[in-house]
Amino acid sequence: VQMNSITFFTVLLFVVAAAATSNAPPVKVALYFESLCPYCQDFITGSQHKAWVAEGVADIMSLDYYPYGNAKETQNGTSYTFSCQHGANECTGNLIETCAIKILQDQKLWYPFIYCLESGDVTKDGKTCATSLGINWDPISACANGTQGNQYEHEMAVATNNLVPAHTYVPWIIINDISHNDDLQNWAQQNLLSLVCYLYTGTKPAGCYHAQPYRPLPTPISVQ
């Protein structure tokens, strides 16, 4: 059964109101992507970043990033070989970003690092980005070039391949563990700041009061 946009947002508003609490949880933003996908880069450096830098909004978001996307993996004994949509460099970028997420753990460390990579050359700017952010590059590099990174990337593959419904394009965005739908996808890609502020049930941070209202574009957003 398909839900039209008006019905969907009515239900969403009800869910938000019902969940209101003084001890509000952060809004969950899960991104399934690949490092050289131009539309993924646009989201990470555009809509996501605008939300991230808005005053106080990073504190009301919980990010989960899965750098794998439309890749394929083949098992070879205890290790895996990856084939990526945009070639070998994308596989390298995915590994670097996966290792950063796993090693740094704190989104306030790994998101700025991934933002820096996606704003430049994901295969060449790792050390430069790490240095500029005061992050130790050596463990990330060792991970990306070793068995640890290979296993971590397999975990990203498993998470991506276990999506229900299965992803059909990237970036694939899931908000608050709500089953993927085009309304939330479009809203997130166009104006994540307004979406996060709308869904957050606690006291809104200052950055929310400068958010532009969401106005759906007449045509679908770009995906691969």
Side-chain angles (χ1 to χ4, degrees), residues 141-210:
S141 178
C143 171
N145 289 289
T147 57
Q148 185 81 77
N150 189 266
Q151 290 299 314
Y152 283 156
E153 189 63 16
H154 169 63
E155 292 176 16
M156 296 298 182
V158 170
T160 303
N161 292 334
N162 284 342
L163 281 167
V164 178
H167 85 285
T168 54
Y169 53 77
V170 288
W172 188 260
I173 304 167
I174 297 176
I175 304 296
N176 274 352
D177 299 323
I178 297 171
S179 182
H180 182 274
N181 64 78
D182 289 342
D183 289 311
L184 282 179
Q185 173 82 31
N186 290 356
W187 192 346
Q189 278 193 260
Q190 294 175 29
N191 194 337
L192 183 64
L193 174 58
S194 74
L195 176 56
V196 169
C197 291
Y198 177 81
L199 291 177
Y200 185 61
T201 56
T203 303
K204 313 291 185 187
C208 285
Y209 295 101
H210 302 292

Side-chain angles (χ1 to χ4, degrees), residues 108-143:
K108 291 189 176 181
L109 295 175
W110 63 252
Y111 170 72
F113 177 73
I114 290 178
Y115 168 78
C116 180
L117 290 180
E118 295 293 347
S119 300
D121 188 320
V122 296
T123 64
K124 297 179 180 178
D125 291 347
K127 187 173 184 178
T128 300
C129 288
T131 300
S132 70
L133 295 165
I135 292 169
N136 186 354
W137 165 245
D138 292 341
I140 298 172
S141 178
C143 171

Side-chain angles (χ1 to χ4, degrees), residues 2-224:
Q2 279 201 323
M3 186 182 297
N4 64 39
S5 295
I6 294 175
T7 303
F8 168 77
F9 287 118
T10 300
V11 172
L12 185 61
L13 180 60
F14 174 79
V15 170
V16 170
T21 172
S22 59
N23 186 24
V27 177
K28 297 179 182 179
V29 180
L31 174 65
Y32 296 80
F33 72 107
E34 49 200 31
S35 64
L36 293 184
C37 160
Y39 307 121
C40 302
Q41 292 172 332
D42 286 347
F43 174 72
I44 293 168
T45 63
S47 183
Q48 170 74 89
H49 191 249
K50 289 175 183 176
W52 184 264
V53 299
E55 185 178 352
V57 176
D59 295 324
I60 64 169
M61 284 190 294
S62 176
L63 304 184
D64 284 306
Y65 272 28
Y66 300 87
Y68 183 77
N70 296 326
K72 305 294 181 186
E73 71 169 357
T74 303
Q75 186 169 2
N76 305 297
T78 59
S79 64
Y80 300 86
T81 301
F82 301 100
S83 174
C84 297
Q85 183 174 9
H86 299 96
N89 281 347
E90 181 165 81
C91 288
T92 299
N94 290 348
L95 276 166
I96 292 170
E97 292 177 344
T98 290
C99 285
I101 292 166
K102 293 290 190 177
I103 290 172
L104 299 175
Q105 299 185 347
D106 185 345
Q107 65 182 27
K108 291 189 176 181
L109 295 175
W110 63 252
Y111 170 72
F113 177 73
I114 290 178
Y115 168 78
C116 180
L117 290 180
E118 295 293 347
S119 300
D121 188 320
V122 296
T123 64
K124 297 179 180 178
D125 291 347
K127 187 173 184 178
T128 300
C129 288
T131 300
S132 70
L133 295 165
I135 292 169
N136 186 354
W137 165 245
D138 292 341
I140 298 172
S141 178
C143 171
N145 289 289
T147 57
Q148 185 81 77
N150 189 266
Q151 290 299 314
Y152 283 156
E153 189 63 16
H154 169 63
E155 292 176 16
M156 296 298 182
V158 170
T160 303
N161 292 334
N162 284 342
L163 281 167
V164 178
H167 85 285
T168 54
Y169 53 77
V170 288
W172 188 260
I173 304 167
I174 297 176
I175 304 296
N176 274 352
D177 299 323
I178 297 171
S179 182
H180 182 274
N181 64 78
D182 289 342
D183 289 311
L184 282 179
Q185 173 82 31
N186 290 356
W187 192 346
Q189 278 193 260
Q190 294 175 29
N191 194 337
L192 183 64
L193 174 58
S194 74
L195 176 56
V196 169
C197 291
Y198 177 81
L199 291 177
Y200 185 61
T201 56
T203 303
K204 313 291 185 187
C208 285
Y209 295 101
H210 302 292
Q212 294 296 313
Y214 172 58
R215 296 184 178 90
L217 296 178
T219 54
I221 41 74
S222 298
V223 294
Q224 281 195 329

